[in-house]
Amino acid sequence: MILLMGVLRNDILNGNRGNDILDGGAGSDILNGGSGRDTLLGGAGGGDDTFVFSEGDDRIDGGDGFDTVIYRGTPQRIILSGIGTVRKPAGLGLDTLLRVESIIANAGVPNNTIDASQSADGVSITVNLETRTLVVNNVPNLGTLPFTVVAFDDVIGTNANDSIVGDNQNNQLSGGNGNDTIKGGNGADRLTGGAGNDIFDFDLVLESQPGASSRGGVRGSRRLPKFSRSVLHSSSVGFLTI
């Protein structure tokens, strides 16, 4: 184990194979714990710190400033949960994030996922993969928490009323329970509702309106851009393949 403390400048701190503690202190620092169960601290002082993916169950506390965790080196997808953890590929560990504002996945691997299904009761999410934004609403004792999320493809919502918007990738978007609004964007998307009055908004079929019932509905578009195949699932209308 090593203990490294930064100074007042912009530091680069690297751990080793042990369970290290790295504290960047003031300044905009870059921290990489290496393998092991590391504790990475951005520190006070308002710096914008960057934490680099490494193997192991790491605890990452960004501290003050706008702090970013980069997972570009992962060989497979990551799963960002609604309770502040990131599941890395099999065998590489689970990170716990605190006071981190930006999470960057590896754009070179498919199906990086935001999974908010374990969120506390009453918590909902507002996600827009196109604008790379995630807002977690009604967090107990904290209120609303905004995040920047980069290179994520799929979303699983909470049991509350979520708003989920995809991008140009082939997204898999699931609202879970609650009255959700889900928009796929371009690409061959799979949209799934769950219990609740869900609305699907898609841009693939000219004025396609399969109808609605007391449990949900699908809303179409008036224009037909580039055609692709999507599967829509609602608790009321069953499967619609276009």
Side-chain angles (χ1 to χ4, degrees):
M1 182 188 81
I2 64 173
L3 170 62
L4 292 179
M5 302 288 293
V7 293
L8 298 178
R9 299 180 179 86
N10 302 332
D11 306 306
I12 300 176
L13 304 180
N14 293 305
N16 58 21
R17 295 180 179 273
N19 302 330
D20 307 313
I21 300 175
L22 310 183
D23 187 342
S28 298
D29 309 304
I30 300 175
L31 294 84
N32 185 338
S35 59
R37 297 187 176 185
D38 306 309
T39 299
L40 309 178
L41 307 174
D48 300 332
D49 302 308
T50 299
F51 301 89
V52 180
F53 154 75
S54 63
E55 181 180 347
D57 298 332
D58 300 323
R59 179 180 180 271
I60 300 174
D61 185 345
D64 297 335
F66 187 90
D67 305 303
T68 300
V69 183
I70 298 178
Y71 291 95
R72 288 188 179 130
T74 57
Q76 296 174 317
R77 72 168 181 165
I78 62 171
I79 301 174
L80 170 63
S81 81
I83 56 174
T85 62
V86 172
R87 171 68 63 184
K88 294 176 283 193
L92 296 182
L94 178 74
D95 289 347
T96 301
L97 309 185
L98 178 66
R99 294 189 291 182
V100 168
E101 290 74 35
S102 177
I103 301 95
I104 301 177
N106 184 357
V109 301
N111 302 119
N112 292 304
T113 301
I114 298 168
D115 182 355
S117 60
Q118 299 180 35
S119 299
D121 291 343
V123 173
S124 67
I125 59 172
T126 302
V127 185
N128 189 318
L129 298 181
E130 185 69 31
T131 60
R132 302 176 174 180
T133 56
L134 163 65
V135 178
V136 184
N137 308 296
N138 305 318
V139 179
N141 302 317
L142 296 174
T144 300
L145 298 178
F147 300 91
T148 298
V149 286
V150 179
F152 283 87
D153 310 293
D154 304 334
V155 178
I156 302 172
T158 70
N159 289 322
N161 304 331
D162 303 310
S163 174
I164 301 173
V165 178
D167 57 13
N168 292 329
Q169 306 301 312
N170 299 333
N171 307 125
Q172 298 184 42
L173 309 177
S174 174
N177 297 332
N179 303 329
D180 307 307
T181 299
I182 307 174
K183 180 175 181 179
N186 295 326
D189 305 309
R190 181 181 178 92
L191 314 183
T192 306
N197 301 314
D198 304 312
I199 296 176
F200 299 103
D201 190 342
F202 57 98
D203 298 321
L204 299 177
V205 175
L206 181 64
E207 295 183 305
S208 174
Q209 295 185 7
S213 74
S214 60
R215 301 246 354 241
V218 179
R219 183 173 63 214
S221 170
R222 294 185 177 275
R223 299 188 343 175
L224 181 62
K226 181 179 179 181
F227 183 82
S228 63
R229 183 177 184 273
S230 295
V231 179
L232 308 182
H233 174 235
S234 163
S235 55
S236 62
V237 300
F239 278 98
L240 169 67
T241 302
I242 53 177

